[in-house]
Amino acid sequence: MSQRRIIIVGGGMAGLSAAYQLSLTPELRKQYHVTVYQLGWRLGGKCASGRDAQGRNIEHGLHIWFGHYLNAFQMLAEVYQNLPREGAKVELNTLILPQGYTPIGDPDGAKPRVYDVNFPTSKKIGIPGREPADLSIANCLSHAIGRLIDFHDYALGSDSPIVKLDEVSIETIKMRDDPLFPPSRLLGVVTARTCLEIASAWLSHLDEDMISFGRADMELVRRVLQGAAGASCHMTFANTAAGHLFDQALRLAWPLVDGIFDDIVIEQRSIQQMDGEDFRRWLVRHGAEPSLVKQSPMVRALYDTMFQYPDGDIANASYGAGTAVQVLLRALGTYQGAVAWELQAGAGEVIVAPLFEILKQRDVKFRFFHKLTDIRVSSDGRSVDSLHFDVQAIPKCGYEWTVPIGHGLFGWSSQPDWLHLDAPPNGCVDFESFWCNERVDTDVKTRVDDFDDVVLAIPLGAFKKFTGNKSVERPPGPGPGLFSIEEKHEPFDDLYNYSTGFWNMAAKLRLVPSIAVQLWSTRSLAGLGWSGQKPALVSGPNPLDIWADMSQLLRYERRDPPYSLHYLCDVFPSKLYAAPRTSRHAQEMANLLAYLKTLDWLEHKAKFIWPKVMTNGAFDWTVLYDDQDRDDYRRIRAQHVKANISPWDCCVATAAGTSAWRLKTDESGFKHLYLAGTWIDTGFNTECVETAVISGMQAARAIIGAELEIPGERFLHATRQYVSLCDFMRSCAPAPAE
């Protein structure tokens, strides 16, 4: 039997995940011949990294993996178990470690503050993904409230505010006869901590058919959470930093749970329907105070962490409520080992290069320096006919794609090996830039001669059109009527002409540019004035409000100064991503703005997290390491500052109202064309490596035709009724009189 020929366009995490799944077993390798086409000289997409001339690791931005990335972690663990390298064995558990200290900042006001946040970690579980996760609503809600109990103990200790339970609540508790809450414990008054314990215990009984969980139980959870929140706001502890944040968490918890009860459990609204409303409005609709939702650093931290700012505009924040609820419950209720995990070397070295080695061992082929410029459709408009690539350069014999980094790691350089390339005559061009149109040849692959199926795993920005009216839905009906035949054919016009769904998806989804900064310092973390633990901070001082001390990477860079390394990032307000493909200065302009923002942050905001960087009221530029020892602000040139405004470098927002336009992997509108990436409808539609990995798994599953459920893809998506007819009737019965 001949192999089915699969072309995967795009070597980011979505494409690599698809290749990994399609080559997972010897049987699959006999059935499928997989080739990955990638522009430039390296893989990884937003996880790509490379070593510069000084041996420093340069990245797209900060990569924090969360403990609920079960599919991504499982794939990575399998890769490390099967690495074909000779010599010293590289262990994954030394290259990605728990990051328990994740403070939250409050950037508003003249003096931004930082709140300490520590999440419990468990060494017993180890690397996530090795054990199955309970993704039921009951487990997620119960464990999320459990994190509130942990926060209570950290912020208050034994000084818990008093709550008086009403008779209805006491009777409901007695009816379940839970040994943890005997009647003697409920007499008179209870504490806010007891209320949280009750809520956590009751939520653990919530199951999908609501056999034993009715209206009275839901009302009890609401009452005890409201009672705890009402008691906390009158306590003096709320004036402390930890107490203030805990008070906010309580006052947000009950509207969150109330909304999940109403929208998901009872009304059974789909995640897509819920995504039609912004998360903040959804919270307010379910009882949260508007001023709290607007000002809370906890709400802000969610939007910041997931980059939910279309066009990078903070004033334009928008996050679909359904997806936001998914992210919160997964992050707080299903994490394994630790909420956050931090890489100990570059993402390209820890994640991408080992995956590359495994795929090569499985005989997956790679074609680098291939930039997709068009996809042509058959004359009947039903299937993919050909793929068109610009060949950017031709590697000479002996070209080494990865290089040794040390300590058993391999990775990429931040530039291709120019000495082993037949490259364009214009010299050292940026092959990874959207606006680089240099080529030495073209390559056309046809379905008759070269492939049977295609996985389109390039970023949304690679094919998104930036001209024309995108505010109005394109009328239904395939056919070449969208563009007149007199118009010049533009890249991907065939996909738009023949697929209404593809057109609307590309038009409606919103891009988010970002800024990435890496600072090498002549001082240690303590020398900068940070007195706490090693942090991964979110919602810090703008315009670089995410910061992590990444000094552990210096082990792979050099032994003499610098003494610390810091990654900072944020969204970047700009629409330069829409510059025409012929523009040669868009990236240069954006980088200039990024440098100015970084200089401004160092001079006016750095002092709020690094109080020792100021001398005589001015920023001490010698804090920045520069091997050329330049004067004052010129030392910024020795750091890494980049605006990620190339359309394929931008993230994709899950803005309210946009999830409905996403297509599933097999809904491209064309035979033989499957979709993969964080921009498709995976069921977990937020920009992260887990979503990318899930999308690749879904594309491979669709090609193989397997019946395989992927952990997380159906999370909070109702597969059957939560409420039986009898239970629904019971829930509509009048509540007992108070």
Side-chain angles (χ1 to χ4, degrees), residues 392-559:
Q392 300 172 301
I394 300 175
K396 297 178 181 178
C397 183
Y399 191 104
E400 295 288 341
W401 298 109
T402 58
V403 297
I405 304 301
H407 303 274
L409 293 180
F410 285 74
W412 278 268
S413 296
S414 59
Q415 291 287 325
D417 182 358
W418 296 102
L419 296 179
H420 289 83
L421 278 184
D422 288 329
N426 291 339
C428 300
V429 296
D430 183 0
F431 290 126
E432 294 178 331
S433 170
F434 178 80
W435 298 283
C436 175
N437 299 300
E438 302 292 339
R439 66 185 184 188
V440 296
D441 200 358
T442 58
D443 192 5
V444 178
K445 302 297 179 185
T446 66
R447 188 164 61 85
V448 172
D449 298 323
D450 303 299
F451 65 86
D452 295 294
D453 295 301
V454 175
V455 178
L456 184 64
I458 59 177
L460 172 72
F463 56 82
K464 183 178 174 69
K465 284 187 176 291
F466 299 110
T467 57
N469 181 12
K470 306 299 187 300
S471 62
V472 180
E473 178 184 353
R474 182 194 145 184
L482 183 60
F483 307 105
S484 68
I485 58 175
E486 290 80 13
E487 291 185 69
K488 179 182 177 182
H489 182 91
E490 296 290 337
F492 309 105
D493 272 358
D494 275 12
L495 298 184
Y496 297 127
N497 270 325
Y498 289 99
S499 174
T500 299
F502 200 91
W503 163 263
N504 287 325
M505 176 187 65
K508 300 292 186 178
L509 298 189
R510 309 281 297 279
L511 298 184
V512 184
S514 63
I515 178 174
V517 177
Q518 295 174 219
L519 302 177
W520 289 263
S521 178
T522 58
R523 301 184 191 177
S524 66
L525 186 62
L528 295 171
W530 181 264
S531 58
Q533 308 169 52
K534 180 183 181 302
L537 169 73
V538 65
S539 297
N542 292 322
L544 298 173
D545 70 356
I546 297 176
W547 160 55
D549 171 23
M550 298 293 286
S551 300
Q552 71 271 15
L553 271 67
L554 294 176
R555 175 190 181 198
Y556 300 95
E557 294 188 359
R558 56 199 307 168
R559 295 184 179 178

Side-chain angles (χ1 to χ4, degrees), residues 275-328:
D275 273 350
E277 183 177 18
D278 178 64
F279 178 62
R280 296 165 302 175
R281 290 182 179 274
W282 181 85
L283 281 174
V284 171
R285 184 164 61 83
H286 288 286
E289 306 157 47
S291 59
L292 174 64
V293 172
K294 181 179 179 180
Q295 299 171 8
S296 172
M298 304 187 80
V299 176
R300 172 69 179 269
L302 175 65
Y303 283 71
D304 285 357
T305 301
M306 308 313 295
F307 277 13
Q308 294 302 320
Y309 301 102
D311 298 330
D313 184 1
I314 292 178
N316 195 29
S318 184
Y319 201 3
T323 299
V325 169
Q326 284 183 311
V327 169
L328 275 175

Side-chain angles (χ1 to χ4, degrees), residues 42-58:
R42 59 181 170 178
L43 302 169
K46 295 180 181 65
C47 284
S49 67
R51 298 282 163 168
D52 66 5
Q54 301 176 55
R56 304 182 307 177
N57 177 62
I58 305 299

Side-chain angles (χ1 to χ4, degrees), residues 127-279:
I127 297 295
R130 294 179 177 176
E131 296 183 7
D134 182 352
L135 300 185
S136 67
I137 295 181
N139 178 74
C140 294
L141 281 173
S142 179
H143 278 77
I145 298 300
R147 300 290 74 79
L148 262 183
I149 296 173
D150 295 331
F151 195 9
H152 170 283
D153 295 345
Y154 167 75
L156 278 65
S158 59
D159 185 24
S160 187
I162 299 300
V163 179
K164 181 173 175 57
L165 290 180
D166 59 85
E167 290 300 323
V168 174
S169 298
I170 293 175
E171 289 303 314
T172 304
I173 296 172
K174 289 179 179 179
M175 286 176 62
R176 191 170 286 277
D177 195 25
D178 192 320
L180 292 175
F181 307 103
S184 59
R185 190 177 177 186
L186 306 175
L187 293 176
V189 294
V190 297
T191 64
R193 192 185 196 282
T194 301
C195 287
L196 295 177
E197 290 176 344
I198 293 170
S200 180
W202 250 249
L203 288 168
S204 69
H205 297 300
L206 173 64
D207 54 31
E208 289 191 349
D209 59 5
M210 297 213 13
I211 292 172
S212 60
F213 198 95
R215 183 177 184 272
D217 297 292
M218 287 189 283
E219 188 60 29
L220 171 66
V221 173
R222 288 187 177 108
R223 286 173 181 269
V224 294
L225 289 177
Q226 284 180 308
S232 71
C233 66
H234 299 296
M235 298 294 291
T236 56
F237 73 80
N239 295 323
T240 67
H244 181 61
L245 198 63
F246 175 69
D247 173 59
Q248 290 187 26
L250 278 180
R251 289 190 286 144
L252 291 169
W254 74 262
L256 175 69
V257 173
D258 185 80
I260 292 171
F261 281 163
D262 287 351
D263 286 5
I264 297 177
V265 177
I266 296 176
E267 294 185 18
Q268 296 188 60
R269 298 181 68 204
S270 69
I271 296 300
Q272 188 179 96
Q273 288 174 316
M274 291 175 64
D275 273 350
E277 183 177 18
D278 178 64
F279 178 62

